[in-house]
Amino acid sequence: MPRRQPFGVPAMVQDLLPSAGEPAPETLQRGIDLQRRKRFREAEFCYQTVLPRQPKNAMALNLMGTLAIEAQQNETAIDFMKRAVKLEPGNAIFRNNLGNAYNLIGNIKLARKQPRKAIELDGRLVEALCNLGKSYRSQLQGDVAEGFYRRALAVDSHSLTALFGMGDLLTDMGRQAEAVERFGRAIAIDKANVEALSGLALARRAIKGDPALALVQARLELPMTTDRERVILHHAAGKILNDQHEYRLAIRHFARAKAISGNDFDIALHTRLYDSFVATPAFSRRGQSSAIRPNVRSSSSVCPVQERR
């Protein structure tokens, strides 16, 4: 338990934390559920509860890596995920997540190697196909990227990751009508999906009465919306309003996005917090905490656990 709380950092919700003696699998599942709810600090507490007792627990290492990605600590994520892959080289999910981390630091060779191995292990792993699509898109190899996204959608036509990934790619390629169709399909599945709402705003010119603006504003009002998501959504609202010649309102949204972006992640503050209650020697050699700050786009093809289709 925390010995102290740094000023300005709210306490964790104690009722969400594991009880003493809770089995490791239950604690990890608790952490996964919390992570999906964006309760990142409590999720990390769960994973770090397991690791001192089981330092070779590959799932816990993988999960800590996904949290490090959320915190934009990509080198730390790679460190955790490499250990997970070394312990379980036949785990397609771990390899895909490691590839995603390499993609985030611009190591294209390894960013493609790991998802390809993941696909060899599980040809239906949509996240790995999307990660390869994202990698080739980043290198302006649109035709190759499109092939991977199409394979992903052939496996799961309702995959939000594949739909908005394909939409972004089609926008890059100047195929706006097709992009709008993909974003529309994603929004039909999840009308609060930040990536799809943002992509739709960028892919076409909005007209008066565009229903996307109401969806963006509704998403902004949800308490679960993170600061990074708010930046994306304010830019989307500004783009829609600018298209509608509502320039004053558009400028307000752009200004709000800029103001939120200025409140950057305070790594020193969060490091002090985690140093106060996490004592895991195996992960302290860099002196880094994996304190969590959400990252909307970059972690979209990370899968903490595999969802069976």
Side-chain angles (χ1 to χ4, degrees), residues 116-170:
R116 286 186 184 280
K117 287 190 174 182
I119 292 168
E120 290 175 7
L121 293 164
D122 181 358
R124 296 180 60 81
L125 189 58
V126 168
E127 293 83 0
L129 292 165
C130 289
N131 270 335
L132 284 170
K134 180 170 62 176
S135 174
Y136 281 100
R137 178 192 169 209
S138 72
Q139 298 299 301
L140 304 181
Q141 294 178 270
D143 291 343
V144 180
E146 183 175 353
F148 282 110
Y149 282 122
R150 289 193 180 281
R151 285 176 61 184
L153 288 167
V155 172
D156 182 3
S157 62
H158 292 86
S159 167
L160 292 173
T161 302
L163 284 169
F164 66 68
M166 176 69 96
D168 284 341
L169 174 65
L170 292 168

Side-chain angles (χ1 to χ4, degrees), residues 2-12 14 41 273 276-277:
R3 294 190 296 275
R4 59 183 171 83
Q5 290 288 343
F7 179 77
V9 179
M12 290 186 290
Q14 301 299 309
R41 294 177 61 209
L273 169 65
S276 73
F277 71 92

Side-chain angles (χ1 to χ4, degrees), residues 40-107:
F40 298 113
R41 294 177 61 209
E42 289 89 345
E44 179 173 8
F45 187 95
C46 291
Y47 305 151
Q48 290 281 29
T49 298
V50 171
L51 282 170
R53 293 180 282 136
Q54 300 179 14
K56 293 187 177 181
N57 187 306
M59 179 58 79
L61 291 166
N62 169 69
L63 291 167
M64 281 297 298
T66 66
L67 285 178
I69 285 178
E70 295 287 355
Q72 292 188 297
Q73 295 186 30
N74 300 323
E75 295 287 355
T76 300
I78 289 170
D79 185 42
F80 280 119
M81 291 172 174
K82 282 174 67 176
R83 298 181 197 194
V85 168
K86 184 175 181 180
L87 288 166
E88 293 188 19
N91 190 306
I93 293 172
F94 296 173
R95 286 192 176 276
N96 169 68
N97 289 349
L98 178 57
N100 184 68
Y102 279 126
N103 197 48
L104 294 174
I105 67 168
N107 189 326

